[in-house]
Amino acid sequence: MDLPTFWFLVIALLWLGYLFLEGFDFGVGMLLPIFGSRRREGGETRRRVMINTIGPVWDGNEVWLIVAGGATFAAFPGWYASLFSTAYLPLLLLLLVLIGRGVAFEYRGKVDTDRWRRTWDAVIVLASWTAPAMVGLVLSANVFGLPLDANGDRLGGWWTIFSLPSVVGALAVVTFSMLHGAVFLALKTEGEMRSRARRFALRAGVPLLLPVVALVLLAQFRAGSAWTWVPLGIALVAGLLGIARVAAGREGQAFFLQAVALTSVVVTLFGSLWPNVIPSTVDPAFSLSIADTAASDYPLMIMTWVAAFGTPAVMIYQGWTYWVFRKRIGTKHIPPVHAP
């Protein structure tokens, strides 16, 4: 395997890590007004339980997005230039909502008033819906193609990133994140919150998976190979089995099966993309390939050595964080509200 192909696989892995880890973060934020409704007594305590499940890990999960973008810039400057210039506005919106979401997590408890918390909760919910939609839009547009000319430049305005596959991709990431968040809450909470999360996952699980199924089928029929039917089938089976394990009260197994399903989806999408990094919808001859957009061997070799030492350290630290905060929490673990 040559270095450009290796780094293409690494970037796919980085996006997988981000979608899986940040996905349940987004899902918890989406479910905040559903499970933590203010119309029911104890809504604020339930919202604090939900936020506390992701409080120790949400910022670490965002590292995967930063590294994915940085690796693309360094390993495939041609890919980075064409994609990021075409998707400039969606990526800018993604950045803004992620900033707002991070500020909301830190500030919502700084003042003890309902209005203050309600405002920051609205920011969390809005960002948790918008961010996965933008990620799905950009990634799907990348996989299914952009209107690129022979120089790799975009033809048309910023709206050219919107197409049926890219919109389906945006919806797929949003719905998967919501289901992922429900399963995560069922895994990390106890009592009423766990029961509500399980019921939601069971009732909404299959409908929420339908956009994901539509996305992988579009990818398979448009550019898939014979071998990509295998991960596609695994994704479907793992997704359904995950819902079944929630019904059996095995949330840990369901969470693992969601990882298997998402891995298979990413393999299907990037497998249909290879050996290109961005197909051109104008003319297949204008598509950007791995070989055409890769950096030279020297910087790729330096990156490989840095990744060989840095990646295990980051993964060990992040794994340790999840291990430390592995226990379930419930309303009994939430202290009374106080302002600093």
Side-chain angles (χ1 to χ4, degrees), residues 18 26 58 62 65 88-104 120 123-124 126-128 130-131 134-135:
Y18 180 70
F26 293 144
W58 68 265
E62 291 185 353
L65 175 65
Y88 179 80
L89 289 179
L91 289 173
L92 177 60
L93 180 58
L94 171 63
L95 176 63
L96 292 176
V97 297
L98 288 179
I99 292 173
R101 181 168 168 266
V103 172
W120 290 116
V123 174
I124 293 173
L126 177 62
S128 297
T130 306
M134 294 302 100
V135 171

Side-chain angles (χ1 to χ4, degrees), residues 46-64:
R46 288 192 296 274
R47 286 191 295 274
R48 291 176 65 193
V49 169
M50 296 174 69
I51 292 174
N52 283 358
T53 61
I54 61 175
V57 298
W58 68 265
D59 48 355
N61 294 341
E62 291 185 353
V63 171
W64 291 78

